[in-house]
Amino acid sequence: MTMQFNDETFRGDYTYRNSPEAIRRFPFPFDQDSYMYSVNIEQHPGGPQGSPFEHMFDVDEHYVAEMRDREITLAEDPLRCQSLPHMELAGWDLLELIMVSKARDYPDLFSLTRDGNDWHWVNKPMGIDKRFTFLDAATLPYGPMEYITRQTQGDFALLHERDGNLWMDAGMVTSQADWSLDFDVGMNFFEWHAPVPKARQMGVFDKALKFLLAVGQGQHYRRLNWTMTVNPRLDTSPENYHKWGPEKRTITPENVGHKQFLRVELQTFFRLPRSNALAFPIRCYLASLDDLVTQPKWGRRLHRVLRDIDPDLADYKGFAVNREVIVNYLSQYDDGEPTSPGIFPED
Amino acid sequence: MPNTVFSPSIESRPTYAGLAPRPGAPAIMVADEAGAAAVTHLATVDATAMAKAHVVLVGAPAETSDALAALSPAAVQTVPDLDTATPIVEQLLSQARMGTQLFLAGSEGLMGHISAIALASGMALEDIQMEHRGSIARRMQCVHCKGITDGVTTDPFTCSHCGLTLFVRDHFSRRLGAFQGVCVDAETPGDIPATEEIRP
Amino acid sequence: MTKLALKVAAVEQLTPLVKRFRFEDPTGAPLPVFSGGAHITVEMPNGDTIRRNSYSLISDPYDPSGYEIAVRREDTGRGGSSHMHSAVAEGDTITVSVPANLFQLDLRARKHVLIGGGIGITPFLSQLRQLDREQKPYELHYAARSRAEAAGIALLPEAAHIHVHISDEGNRMDLGAILDGQPLGTHVYTCGPEGLIAAVADQAARLGWPKSAVHSEAFTAPPPGAPFEVTIASSGQIVPVKADQSLLEALEAAGVEIDYSCRGGACGRCETAVTACDGQIEHNDHWLSADERAAQKKIMPCMSRFKGTRLELDL
C-alpha cells in the first residue's frame, strides 16, 4: 500500500494531525475574501491531481482512524445510521457506486470482482475480504448502506424523490455539523433545512432543490460548505452536544491556533440508477488555524472572511462566542496584500 | 374556542388548517376533550361527516363521549390515553381503504403522535386534517437520550428521562410526531435561562 | 447530458404499427442500469436538424446488456417515429441519452396499480419487472382498442395480476371498479392518451384519493404547427422554426446553447425566460402552472410554439 494511514483520535486526547501534504490538499472553501451563501456547484470529480476533488470518493491519511471513530459512535448510538424500509435499494446503488469507484481509483487499496451478482470485495486498509450476493441483504453483516458507509469517510444521506421534492429517508451520520439524523430522517428538503437562517428568504434552497431534482445519471456534482469546530472532533452531533459543548468555551488567545479548526464539508451529489434516489455524501475535512496559516493566501483570506461575516451566520456556524479571539489571532497573518482568485494555495 | 393561531415559524413547524368537510368520506377521528368541540363543529357544518366515522376519544369524560355519540358516528370509543389509542388507530388504519380521511383535533402531542402512525401506515399527508384546540403543551423529543416528554408547557424544561434541561425548538419531526429539545446549558453547564411559559 | 453511442442489435415488428428496438454497446460493455419507468432520448439525424425523441425503456431495468424500446408509428407527427420505423435497421449506430426517470415508482406504496392505454403500456414494462424483483404487490391494467393493435399483448407476461381490456371485444376498462376499495397506501400510475390520464385522475379524486398517490406520464412528442420565428435576446439572432420542428430543435440547429432532458414538457430542464412577447405562446408542456402560462414570461421550448409577431427569449 502506498498510502500511509495516521494512527490518531478524534475525541479524548485528540491526536488528529494533518501532514504537510494533507494541509496543501485541504479543500479551503473560500474563493474570495468574503462569504455569503451560494449554491456554488461544480462538476465532480475533477480537479488538480492529488486534490480531494480528483476522485469520486477521496481516501486520505485519516481514513482508517475516521472509520474507527465511526465505529465508536455507532456502538454508543446505533440511531446514527437509519434507513426507512423503501430505501434498501438505494443502499445497494450506493454500495455499488462506492465499491466500483474505489476499486477503480485506488487499485492498490481496494478491489472488486463481480460475476453476475456474486461479488468479492477487498478493502486492504481495513483488512476486509468479503464475498456476498449483490441485492441480497442476508449476505452482508449490515444493510447495504451501513455496510459500505462503515468503510467510507464522510456522512451520507440518501434522498428519495417524490412530489417534486427530496426526502431524507436514509443516512449514516456520525460526523455532522450539529444536526440529528434520527430527528430529520423522513423530512423533505425544506424541512430539514428549516433551522438554517436567512437562506429560504434568499431563495437559495428553491434554486438548490430545482438543481438537485434535475441531476441525472452519470452527472455528478459537488459543492463546499464549512463551519468551525473546537478540537478535531468528528462527532459534533446534537446528541452529544452536552458532552462536547463545554469544549467550545475553552478557546484562549494562547491555544486558538491549534484548538480551533475550520471544518469543511465536501458535499457531492449522485443520481442512483435502480432507485432513482440521490446520494448526498458529506465528507468532512478538518484543519487547525495553525495548519491553514502555513498557506499565506489562506491566512489572509480567512481573516477577512471571519472578520466581515454576518453575525447570524457566525452564530449558525457555531463560532460567535470565539469570533473575536479567532479574528484577532488571524489578523497577525493578514498583511493587507491582495489575494489571488480561487481556493488553491498560491505557490 | 376556535383553531389556535400560532406565530409564523420555520418550515418544519407544523401548521393546523382546521377540520374541513369531506362529504361522504370514510373517516377516522381522534380527539381529546378540547378537540371534541372541533369534531362537533364539523358535524354541524357537514351532516354526512359522522355516518362513516370511527371516533376515538382520548382521555375525555363521559359527557363528552355521550355528546359525540349523539352525533351518531359509525362508532365511538373512549380510551384513557394515547398509548391505549395507538393500537386501536393502527388497526383502523390497517383495514382502511383509499379515500379514508383522518381527522385529528386537540393538543399538538395527540396530533403529532397519531399523524406519525398514519404516515407510517401509508396515509398521505393531505388526507390528515388537523385542528388545534386546548392546551398548547408540546410533545418533545430529547435529542440526547431520545426520550419523549409530553405536555411540555415551559421553555426550558426538564427531560423526564435523562434530567437534562432542554430548550424548546420549533423544529418538528413528523416521523416522531415531536418537537426537538436540546440541552440549554451544554456549553456553560449550570447557566440556565429563566423559565418562561410557551406561547402559541 | 451524458450520451451513449449504441448498436441497433435487433428490430422486431410487434404489430402493424409498433416495432421493438434493442440497442447494445458495440463492444459488449455493460450499459448503465435504471429504474422502472425510465426513458432514453434517441437522436435521429435529419438533414440539418437532429431530432430527439424520448422513449420509455421496456427491458429489465437491472439488466445492463441492452436497452429496448417500443415505438408506435405516428403518421401525423413530425416524423420522429416514422424515421425510427423506416430508417433504423439492425447494425446501425444510434446515439441515445443515459436513462432518466420522470415516472418512478413510489416504493413506499403498500400496493401499486398500473394503468396503461395503447402504447402507454411501455413504461410499465420496466416497472413491473422492478416490482417483481422487489416483491411489491401490484396489479396492471392494459387497455387497447383491438387485439391487432395491442402491442402490449406481445410484451406483457401472463400473470394473474395482469389484466388486458380490449374495447372491441366489449371488455372495456372500468376505472371505478379498479380504484374502489384499494387498501390505504395504494398508488396509481397512468400512462396513455390524455383522456385516460384525466379519467383516472377524475375517478381517483371522486373516490377521495390524495393527489400524491396519483401519478401519470403523458408521453407526447412535440406537436407540429405553423412556422414561426424567435429572437435571441443576447445576440439579436433570429431563429426560424419550421412546421415540423420543435422550438428546441430549431435552437439547437441554430447553435444556440440550451439545456434539456425529457423533451416532452415534463422535466422543466429547458425552461426559458421570455423577454418580449407580442402574440400568443402555445404552451404544450406539463411543467408550467396555469398562472405561469397566462403570464407568458416563460416557455418550454421542447414542446411549445408561438403565434404572433415577436417572441424574444432570454438566451
Side-chain angles (χ1 to χ4, degrees):
Chain A
M1 280 185 275
T2 50
M3 198 177 292
Q4 292 299 310
F5 298 103
N6 300 351
D7 183 10
E8 60 191 3
T9 58
F10 297 86
R11 58 183 79 211
D13 55 358
Y14 292 115
T15 59
Y16 173 89
R17 291 292 176 274
N18 279 311
S19 66
E21 298 73 45
I23 294 172
R24 282 197 58 83
R25 73 192 298 278
F26 185 77
F28 188 73
F30 306 110
D31 63 353
Q32 50 185 340
D33 290 356
S34 62
Y35 174 76
M36 197 56 211
Y37 285 128
S38 66
V39 178
N40 66 321
I41 288 173
E42 299 180 288
Q43 293 213 359
H44 183 78
Q49 200 181 354
S51 76
F53 314 122
E54 185 183 0
H55 298 306
M56 296 272 259
F57 298 92
D58 182 42
V59 176
D60 66 9
E61 65 186 28
H62 307 296
Y63 175 45
V64 174
E66 278 189 46
M67 294 300 96
R68 210 180 297 133
D69 192 72
R70 166 160 290 164
E71 200 181 335
I72 297 169
T73 303
L74 286 170
E76 290 173 355
D77 182 2
L79 296 179
R80 301 297 185 87
C81 180
Q82 295 197 40
S83 176
L84 299 183
H86 60 282
M87 295 302 282
E88 187 177 294
L89 185 61
W92 285 112
D93 279 332
L94 179 70
L95 175 142
E96 176 187 57
L97 176 69
I98 293 176
M99 287 187 176
V100 169
S101 302
K102 282 189 166 179
R104 180 193 58 225
D105 297 337
Y106 301 92
D108 52 337
L109 303 180
F110 305 96
S111 80
L112 177 67
T113 315
R114 293 184 283 181
D115 177 10
N117 282 345
D118 296 330
W119 290 29
H120 181 201
W121 166 246
V122 178
N123 175 340
K124 288 185 201 164
M126 293 182 71
I128 292 168
D129 184 315
K130 179 73 185 167
R131 291 172 195 276
F132 64 97
T133 306
F134 187 67
L135 298 178
D136 180 357
T139 61
L140 287 177
Y142 308 101
M145 178 191 70
E146 179 166 358
Y147 181 75
I148 194 58
T149 58
R150 278 176 177 265
Q151 302 177 46
T152 310
Q153 287 162 278
D155 285 344
F156 289 82
L158 295 181
L159 314 180
H160 185 232
E161 179 174 337
R162 61 178 188 268
D163 307 334
N165 210 325
L166 292 169
W167 303 76
M168 183 154 28
D169 286 349
M172 164 68 93
V173 178
T174 63
S175 50
Q176 70 269 49
D178 206 6
W179 59 280
S180 166
L181 174 74
D182 177 53
F183 197 79
D184 288 0
V185 73
M187 288 189 188
N188 71 36
F189 190 79
F190 297 118
E191 290 165 350
W192 89 69
H193 283 116
V196 182
K198 295 197 174 176
R200 186 76 207 267
Q201 295 92 301
M202 291 170 55
V204 170
F205 289 136
D206 301 84
K207 279 185 214 145
L209 175 62
K210 206 168 179 178
F211 177 85
L212 289 173
L213 289 171
V215 169
Q217 258 179 269
Q219 307 168 302
H220 323 307
Y221 298 93
R222 66 164 177 258
R223 68 182 288 259
L224 294 175
N225 196 11
W226 66 280
T227 179
M228 303 289 283
T229 301
V230 174
N231 290 328
R233 186 176 180 93
L234 287 175
D235 176 25
T236 53
S237 58
E239 279 83 355
N240 285 331
Y241 182 34
H242 55 305
K243 297 176 186 164
W244 58 265
E247 295 178 12
K248 266 180 79 173
R249 307 298 179 112
T250 59
I251 289 291
T252 65
E254 293 70 39
N255 68 20
V256 63
H258 64 267
K259 260 182 114 62
Q260 180 67 60
F261 284 74
L262 175 63
R263 181 188 195 98
V264 174
E265 291 178 352
L266 169 57
Q267 306 179 341
T268 46
F269 313 98
F270 303 88
R271 176 71 70 175
L272 299 175
R274 297 169 189 80
S275 58
N276 205 39
L278 275 177
F280 179 37
I282 310 157
R283 171 67 182 277
C284 171
Y285 294 85
L286 293 163
S288 67
L289 299 187
D290 283 347
D291 287 343
L292 293 168
V293 299
T294 60
Q295 309 302 316
K297 169 177 167 179
W298 292 353
R300 293 182 185 110
R301 179 166 290 167
L302 188 61
H303 172 246
R304 296 167 197 177
V305 168
L306 299 184
R307 180 191 63 198
D308 301 337
I309 199 166
D310 181 295
D312 285 352
L313 273 174
D315 198 39
Y316 174 66
K317 296 201 177 266
F319 66 99
V321 293
N322 296 318
R323 181 174 174 180
E324 196 181 332
V325 178
I326 295 167
V327 171
N328 281 342
Y329 176 82
L330 289 171
S331 66
Q332 310 167 66
Y333 299 92
D334 187 358
D335 53 11
E337 288 296 307
T339 54
S340 61
I343 64 174
F344 296 103
E346 247 145 20
D347 48 301
Chain B
M1 191 173 58
N3 191 13
T4 309
V5 179
F6 289 94
S7 334
S9 182
I10 60 175
E11 196 93 7
S12 53
R13 199 245 185 277
T15 54
Y16 309 103
L19 307 187
R22 289 290 299 265
I28 301 167
M29 300 180 176
V30 186
D32 57 20
E33 189 184 356
V39 174
T40 309
H41 180 71
L42 179 69
T44 61
V45 183
D46 173 15
T48 70
M50 306 308 286
K52 290 191 220 165
H54 191 119
V55 183
V56 180
L57 262 179
V58 183
E63 51 267 33
T64 309
S65 74
D66 291 347
L68 281 182
L71 301 170
S72 308
V76 59
Q77 255 176 300
T78 306
V79 296
D81 52 32
L82 272 180
D83 286 346
T84 326
T86 300
I88 295 170
V89 173
E90 280 172 345
Q91 193 184 16
L92 290 171
L93 287 165
S94 76
Q95 295 162 348
R97 303 281 128 185
M98 289 300 281
T100 303
Q101 294 286 304
L102 181 62
F103 293 93
L104 305 177
S107 71
E108 290 204 85
L110 176 141
M111 295 190 288
H113 177 70
I114 303 292
S115 59
I117 295 168
L119 291 170
S121 70
M123 185 167 250
L125 192 59
E126 63 252 51
D127 281 350
I128 305 175
Q129 298 197 36
M130 295 188 268
E131 180 157 332
H132 184 267
R133 295 276 184 135
S135 162
I136 56 163
R138 293 190 184 190
R139 189 167 182 264
M140 302 294 305
Q141 188 211 35
C142 172
V143 75
H144 312 290
C145 78
K146 309 296 182 189
I148 298 281
T149 303
D150 214 339
V152 171
T153 57
T154 65
D155 179 19
F157 71 101
T158 304
C159 173
S160 61
H161 305 272
C162 69
L164 286 173
T165 307
L166 309 178
F167 73 92
V168 174
R169 293 187 79 186
D170 273 358
H171 200 32
F172 181 87
S173 162
R174 273 201 293 265
R175 186 183 68 89
L176 300 167
F179 289 92
Q180 189 174 54
V182 179
C183 184
V184 73
D185 59 340
E187 295 183 22
T188 50
D191 184 2
I192 293 171
T195 302
E196 290 180 14
E197 289 292 311
I198 291 174
R199 283 189 295 264
Chain C
M1 168 124 332
T2 315
K3 290 178 185 175
L4 304 164
L6 304 181
K7 179 188 76 186
V8 180
V11 181
E12 182 191 354
Q13 192 87 44
L14 293 176
T15 72
L17 288 177
V18 178
K19 275 186 174 178
R20 165 162 57 185
F21 297 84
R22 180 176 173 84
F23 309 133
E24 293 175 3
D25 184 89
T27 67
L31 301 177
V33 294
F34 55 95
S35 50
H39 65 269
I40 52 173
T41 304
V42 178
E43 296 198 352
M44 294 168 263
N46 177 17
D48 59 349
T49 310
I50 297 177
R51 184 148 284 146
R52 296 179 176 89
N53 278 8
S54 293
Y55 297 102
S56 295
L57 289 160
I58 63 170
S59 44
D60 181 348
Y62 299 179
D63 175 7
S65 69
Y67 293 153
E68 293 179 15
I69 61 173
V71 179
R72 184 181 198 277
R73 201 178 74 221
E74 306 286 353
D75 293 326
T76 58
R78 305 162 314 129
S81 65
S82 56
H83 174 94
M84 288 298 293
H85 272 255
S86 59
V88 176
E90 278 175 32
D92 288 357
T93 297
I94 197 153
T95 302
V96 307
S97 70
V98 296
N101 199 342
L102 299 167
F103 193 46
Q104 71 178 101
L105 294 162
D106 189 335
L107 291 176
R108 297 172 311 152
R110 277 160 91 186
K111 182 178 176 186
H112 303 263
V113 175
L114 317 177
I115 301 176
I119 197 64
I121 191 63
T122 53
F124 299 123
L125 297 166
S126 63
Q127 286 188 344
L128 66 89
R129 287 170 192 263
Q130 186 164 36
L131 289 166
D132 277 333
R133 293 252 197 167
E134 301 298 323
Q135 299 180 317
K136 304 284 185 193
Y138 71 90
E139 57 185 68
L140 182 144
H141 298 269
Y142 169 49
R145 205 170 302 133
S146 70
R147 206 159 275 274
E149 272 187 33
I153 291 176
L155 294 165
L156 285 166
E158 292 234 3
H161 47 277
I162 292 178
H163 310 275
V164 176
H165 308 262
I166 304 289
S167 51
D168 275 5
E169 298 172 5
N171 177 20
R172 291 181 69 88
M173 189 152 62
D174 179 351
L175 293 176
I178 292 169
L179 295 180
D180 196 17
Q182 293 288 357
L184 191 69
T186 303
H187 283 242
V188 64
Y189 308 80
T190 312
C191 184
E194 296 276 4
L196 177 66
I197 290 169
V200 172
D202 284 354
Q203 186 63 50
R206 257 201 299 282
L207 292 168
W209 286 47
K211 279 206 173 84
S212 62
V214 181
H215 312 268
S216 65
E217 180 163 71
F219 236 109
T220 41
F228 61 99
E229 284 181 352
V230 293
T231 307
I232 307 305
S234 60
S235 63
Q237 185 184 357
I238 292 177
V239 177
V241 184
K242 295 181 211 163
D244 64 349
Q245 207 179 21
S246 74
L247 170 54
L248 178 60
E249 287 163 352
L251 291 168
E252 286 170 337
V256 177
E257 197 132 321
I258 181 160
D259 201 7
Y260 69 87
S261 178
C262 75
R263 306 181 80 92
C267 75
R269 197 67 176 258
C270 68
E271 182 184 295
T272 302
V274 172
T275 43
C277 175
D278 185 4
Q280 196 64 37
I281 297 174
E282 300 169 355
H283 293 288
N284 297 315
D285 60 279
H286 304 272
W287 175 256
L288 298 177
S289 67
D291 287 349
E292 285 173 320
R293 286 164 183 242
Q296 301 213 112
K297 298 275 187 213
K298 289 175 182 171
I299 188 169
M300 308 306 294
C302 67
M303 287 296 287
S304 300
R305 306 184 71 86
F306 175 71
K307 266 201 184 97
T309 52
R310 181 177 165 79
L311 180 68
E312 187 186 84
L313 302 181
D314 183 22
L315 286 169

